[in-house]
DNA sequence: CGAGCCGTTGAGGGGATTCAAGCTCAGTGG
DNA sequence: CCACTGAGCTTGAATCCCCTCAACGGCTCG
């Protein structure tokens, strides 16, 4: 499917099997450790785990002392907060190639609940590991800041786009976000109705009505297992006329 | 008002007058360059400007190539976005001691319009300057990431707290944010009604009604020049019963 | 003094919420 | 095998909160 990014002879040179896996990893080019050269990779390989989680699994909880950062290899993760008043709000989502839980690198507590939306594969990178690298690898730090920037951009765009205007337009913009995380078959993950509600700040019934309406309009086609296919042209058209 | 943080003899040792100003700066302890030692300060002094801006001045515009970061010495700055549909949304605010425009360090475009809410004093720090320091000063990079973390936290909290629930509760939570930026006299900056609207995602008339109501309830006391005093106890009480 | 901006308040309508009922579907156990 | 159950989704009806439209008052400024 994708060509290897590392020449064969270099792979041979690596003693540890995990190092080979990392070197060949498809998300590596876009992931945090894409900034590292192969030598560095070799040095740290032993510490990196690559767990898989089922949908709805909690990666980490808000307030917990951060001990690791994660690179998402596949799947979608959402960030939740619960207000003092007890309502849940989903503040953003992350997908393949994204780095999450960066606050662990600062020895801080996690900011949000991170929950798997779909089955998720991640690389787990202990926070201390990056500490030790930090002194030497300036490129890594730069890449790290780029990630931080990206997260902030995402969070601000989320709040600007998804929590303003009539419910239908918010729903359409949410779909526009979700297509960015479409899988290889062009199918998107469609949240449960109450989750859509928590993303857009609307009632779950309203979310349901909107989904039904978009289904009738031919924008959205519902499939089993929280999946859906959507018509890009009709989505654009709908977004336009929602001005 | 505040005691000097730098012994006199050290100030004497500094050749450049700007270096003295920086060393004595009251926000320095909490600002980005608090992480730098005096020697570093001495080295970079020449490049730092400290302009003042009137209220409503635009510090930088979204999309512009970033060329400098700013530390806010006094005043309040808001971050705006305009959606494709033409509506303005204020995604967060920053105050004294905050670092803004960090994306410039990555050679990126500014994410938002940054606009002065009150008269504002800043330190302007060229992006290249930090580049040159970057290799040597690990402490600075760590501090930088802490700022990034803080901005993200702010943005997420903003969207979680201020764009959900009934309008009155959002208004109260906005006031809770604004008291954090209160001046030395305990007075807060109260946005114009349309700005409140853009912060909370409500109509300006609704914002006006809420302000009037809070005034009647004794929570808020309006003063000239977009200033206000608020009763902390009554604010808490109001927040409680808004559950 | 008229023009324009900002804020306030009222009236009316509409979109979203709330309350409620019914539907599908998967899992469970008689 | 099938009733039973509960979770998730849909749809309807009534209510209400907020938006829109509108008029008006205070203030500054040319």
């Amino acid at each position: 499917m994708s060509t290897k990014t590392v020449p064969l002879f270099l792979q041979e040179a690596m003693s540890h099997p995990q190092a080979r896996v990392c070197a060949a990893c498809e998300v590596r080019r876009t992931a945090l450790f894409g900034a590292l050269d192969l030598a560095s990779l070799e040095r740290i390989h032993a510490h990196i785990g690559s767990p898989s989680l089922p949908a709805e699994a909690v990666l980490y909880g808000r307030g917990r002392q951060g001990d690791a950062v994660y690179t998402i290899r596949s799947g979608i993760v959402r960030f939740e907060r619960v207000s003092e008043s007890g309502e849940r709000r989903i503040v953003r989502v992350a997908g393949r190639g994204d780095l999450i839980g960066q606050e662990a690198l600062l020895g801080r507590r996690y900011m949000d609940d991170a929950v798997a939306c779909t089955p998720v594969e991640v690389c787990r990178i202990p926070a201390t590991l990056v500490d030790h690298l930090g002194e030497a690898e300036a490129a890594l730090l730069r890449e790290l800041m780029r990630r931080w920037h990206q997260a902030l951009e995402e969070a601000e765009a989320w709040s600007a786009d998804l929590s303003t205007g009539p419910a239908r337009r918010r729903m359409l913009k949410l779909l526009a976000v979700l297509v960015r995380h479409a899988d290889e078959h062009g199918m998107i993950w469609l949240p449960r109705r109450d989750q859509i509600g928590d993303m857009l700040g609307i009632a779950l019934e309203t979310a349901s009505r909107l989904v039904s309406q978009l289904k009738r309009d031919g924008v959205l086609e519902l499939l089993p297992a929280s999946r859906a296919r959507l018509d890009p042209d009709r989505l654009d058209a709908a977004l336009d006329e929602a001005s």
Side-chain angles (χ1 to χ4, degrees), chain A:
Chain A
M1 172 133 300
S2 88
T3 60
K4 294 274 197 288
T5 60
V6 179
L8 261 180
F9 75 91
L10 272 179
Q11 290 184 53
E12 298 287 333
M14 293 182 180
S15 52
H16 196 288
Q18 175 71 38
R20 274 188 233 168
V21 174
C22 283
C25 175
E26 290 176 30
V27 295
R28 189 177 155 246
R29 272 158 305 175
T30 59
L32 172 66
F33 287 93
L36 288 179
D37 58 23
L38 290 175
S40 309
L41 245 182
E42 175 79 357
R43 233 181 322 128
I44 65 176
H45 57 248
H47 307 285
I48 297 180
S50 44
S52 295
L53 300 106
E56 302 307 311
V58 177
L59 208 54
Y60 54 74
R62 172 171 172 90
R64 215 191 76 197
Q65 182 62 41
D67 54 353
V69 293
Y70 300 86
T71 292
I72 302 177
R73 300 174 56 203
S74 70
I76 299 177
V77 173
R78 66 176 182 268
F79 299 94
E80 300 185 357
R81 294 193 174 201
V82 180
S83 69
E84 310 124 32
S85 15
E87 296 136 36
R88 181 179 60 173
R89 188 79 211 248
I90 297 173
V91 293
R92 61 191 174 102
V93 297
R96 180 191 176 90
D98 287 334
L99 184 75
I100 69 177
Q102 337 197 13
E103 50 269 41
L105 301 177
L106 299 172
R108 298 221 152 208
R109 299 171 182 280
Y110 290 118
M111 294 195 292
D112 313 285
D113 296 332
V115 186
C117 295
T118 63
V120 162
E121 294 175 308
V122 295
C123 283
R124 183 182 185 284
I125 306 155
T128 55
L129 181 58
V130 180
D131 270 349
H132 299 152
L133 279 175
E135 311 297 329
E137 313 282 355
L140 181 72
L141 285 170
R142 170 163 281 262
E143 180 62 20
L144 211 45
M145 290 198 292
R146 213 180 63 72
R147 298 302 162 136
W148 234 300
H149 170 67
Q150 196 175 320
L152 184 55
E153 166 67 26
E154 191 77 22
E156 289 193 357
W158 187 279
S159 108
D161 290 341
L162 300 186
S163 48
T164 261
R168 180 182 162 92
R169 177 148 55 94
R170 292 195 222 179
M171 182 70 207
L172 291 167
K173 294 200 171 185
L174 174 59
L175 291 177
V177 170
L178 292 175
V179 286
R180 298 210 308 264
H181 297 291
D183 66 14
E184 60 273 20
H185 310 296
M187 285 163 51
I188 65 167
W189 165 67
L190 193 71
R192 276 182 2 213
R193 303 302 173 267
D194 62 331
Q195 292 169 349
I196 295 179
D198 291 340
M199 291 175 176
L200 305 180
I202 62 179
L204 71 90
E205 295 93 333
T206 307
S208 175
R209 280 183 245 271
L210 289 169
V211 170
S212 303
Q213 186 190 328
L214 292 172
K215 202 167 46 178
R216 281 193 294 275
D217 295 352
V219 176
L220 203 57
E221 182 189 354
L222 267 61
L223 301 165
S226 292
R227 313 248 98 208
R229 181 188 316 283
L230 63 78
D231 183 327
D233 299 332
R234 294 195 179 173
L235 175 59
D236 289 343
L239 270 166
D240 283 352
E241 75 184 307
S243 84

